[in-house]
Each structure stands twice: as structure tokens, then as C-alpha cells.
Amino acid sequence: MLRLGLKLWSINTDYYYDEAIRLYKSGVYDYIELYVVPGSLQHLARWQLLDIPYIIHSPHFMHGFNLAKAECELSNLEYYQEVREFADSLSAEYIIFHGGIDGSVAETARQLATFAESRALIENKPYRAIPNRMHGEFCRGYNASELEVVVANSGAGVCLDFGHAICAAASQQVDCYDYIAEFLQLNPKMFHLTDVKSLDDEYDKHLHLGTGALDVERILAMIPSDAVITLETDKADSRLLNDFVGDVEYVRGKIVY
């Protein structure tokens, strides 16, 4: 059976926290994927109170973490040390990393290897960085070849983000489902799932499932029946997670047993 995850940020202890507890006890989802906002260790104790499995997501370039550039190495290490404390304290199964912006994928692989992190997963990215938000032009890890470099040189596994793959395929004007199939050859350990505005959109919108152009049934047919999938759709309410519940129900309704 699929394991479905709820994406939250480490600072979300003042909202979503009680909802996360309620929905987990109700059997809605199976784990929390917790994005570690830099400087949020004061929130760790509250997450430790929950008897819920965790996957950790490292900060990315919007919070200053960029594995693709050598000049960021010292600050990257500081961020990682905080991430590792979250992961160790919460007995996290995996730690997800982004490859960075601009720079080189060889640098991404080198820096990730220095962490010697057995739980590391490298996530694929869109081809183009979001204008005026990502402080760069191109994402590292946008195709299977770049991820292969990271996997081969760092020992990391792969987290396949379907929305990112579709954006990268759109940038390169190739069939998105063929593009996804290339990533599947890397045997991803887990997945990220959202809907997309169109199959020609270069930028990830994190739409709710069933509201866009993604063929969710086709995606589910491509992956193992016991896959680990975080639903990364946006949250419309600042306290309730009814839209997340709707996404879970949509996915479970598409499963062919």
C-alpha cells in the first residue's frame, strides 16, 4: 500500500500542528516530511513529542543553501549540521537535498559526499529557476544524467518529484512521461506529487491533485504499489488541512488494486 506524507515546515508548531496530530490519528497520512527552516532548532522539541514517522527536507537555495557553488560550502555545512540534528532527533528515514542553482553538478556531488550522510536523497529539479526568486538561472539535477553524477559520487539515493520533471521536460520540449521514465531507471526511494497547470509549464505551481493536467492514474501505474509519496500541494487555509485531505482521497481513489 502507498505511504502518503504531509509536507510541513519546522516552524509550523503554531499552526497545522494540532491538525497534523488529528489527521495522523485518523489514518489520513503515514508520515511527516519536515522542511527544516534555518535557525528553527527551538521548535525541534515539539516535533519530538509526536509519535509520527519523519522524513527531513534540507533547506534549499531560497534559504541560502546551494550545494552547486563552492563559495557556499561553509554555510552549507552549517545548515546541514542543523538538518542532521533534526534528522537524528526525529529518527528520520531520509534527508532530501536539492542540487542547487547554477554552479556545477560535480560540485553538488562533491559537497554532498562530504556529509557522508547515509540517509541522503537527491531530488530532481526543474530546468529553469523561478525568476526573481531563486537568485540564479538554472537548477542542478534537472535530468537523470545529472542525478546519476550525484548518486555515483555521493552514494545518495533519489527522490523523484513528478512536477519538477514535467517542468524540466517542458523547458526542453520533450515528452514528459518519457522524461519521467528516465528518472525511474534510477530506482527512486520516494516521490513528490502535485498537479501541474499544463504539460508545457516550466514553473512548478504545486496545484491540488485533479485540478490540472497531470494524469495521476498514469503516474501511479509507473511506480511501485508500496511507494512513499509526499503530497506537496499548497495549503489554502492557515490552520486547517482540508485541502490536503482532499488530495489524499484523490490519490487513494486512483489506486488500482
Side-chain angles (χ1 to χ4, degrees), residues 143-198:
N143 64 13
S145 295
E146 288 208 342
L147 287 197
E148 282 184 300
V149 171
V150 179
V151 170
N153 291 281
S154 72
V158 170
C159 172
L160 171 51
D161 187 302
F162 293 109
H164 290 169
I166 291 169
C167 291
S171 295
Q172 298 167 86
Q173 298 182 331
V174 297
D175 181 84
C176 65
Y177 295 105
D178 289 342
Y179 202 72
I180 287 169
E182 294 179 17
F183 287 111
L184 290 173
Q185 295 300 310
L186 300 177
N187 298 314
K189 301 289 187 183
M190 64 170 292
F191 305 89
H192 284 166
L193 183 63
T194 63
D195 216 321
V196 294
K197 184 177 181 180
S198 81

Side-chain angles (χ1 to χ4, degrees), residues 38-215:
S40 62
L41 276 173
Q42 69 271 24
H43 295 274
L44 175 56
R46 290 207 70 194
W47 296 113
Q48 287 179 285
L49 295 174
L50 305 188
D51 187 21
I52 297 175
Y54 286 95
I55 288 170
I56 296 297
H57 197 303
S58 170
H60 48 56
F61 27 83
M62 288 184 68
H63 279 117
F65 186 85
N66 189 352
L67 290 173
K69 290 193 172 183
E71 58 266 35
C72 298
E73 184 169 11
L74 289 179
S75 59
N76 289 340
L77 180 58
E78 291 178 4
Y79 289 135
Y80 166 64
Q81 288 170 343
E82 186 173 10
V83 165
R84 183 177 61 194
E85 187 164 350
F86 268 90
D88 290 347
S89 299
L90 300 175
S91 300
E93 184 176 5
Y94 300 121
I95 303 174
I96 301 168
F97 295 91
H98 286 187
I101 293 287
D102 293 334
S104 74
V105 72
E107 181 65 20
T108 298
R110 186 192 69 79
Q111 288 196 40
L112 189 55
T114 66
F115 297 162
E117 176 55 69
S118 62
R119 298 162 292 188
L121 302 181
I122 184 71
E123 178 182 343
N124 64 298
K125 294 295 296 173
Y127 178 69
R128 297 190 186 278
I130 298 176
N132 304 318
R133 290 183 60 193
M134 300 304 192
H135 311 294
E137 295 289 336
F138 302 105
C139 301
R140 298 277 61 84
Y142 71 91
N143 64 13
S145 295
E146 288 208 342
L147 287 197
E148 282 184 300
V149 171
V150 179
V151 170
N153 291 281
S154 72
V158 170
C159 172
L160 171 51
D161 187 302
F162 293 109
H164 290 169
I166 291 169
C167 291
S171 295
Q172 298 167 86
Q173 298 182 331
V174 297
D175 181 84
C176 65
Y177 295 105
D178 289 342
Y179 202 72
I180 287 169
E182 294 179 17
F183 287 111
L184 290 173
Q185 295 300 310
L186 300 177
N187 298 314
K189 301 289 187 183
M190 64 170 292
F191 305 89
H192 284 166
L193 183 63
T194 63
D195 216 321
V196 294
K197 184 177 181 180
S198 81
L199 300 184
D200 298 318
D201 194 349
E202 294 187 272
Y203 303 111
D204 197 15
K205 300 296 194 301
H206 293 272
L207 299 182
H208 291 291
L209 298 167
T211 66
L214 185 65
D215 187 340

Side-chain angles (χ1 to χ4, degrees), residues 232-245:
E232 285 200 312
T233 49
D234 283 336
K235 298 170 179 62
D237 195 291
S238 62
R239 295 193 176 274
L240 300 178
L241 291 169
N242 294 335
D243 47 0
F244 170 73
V245 175

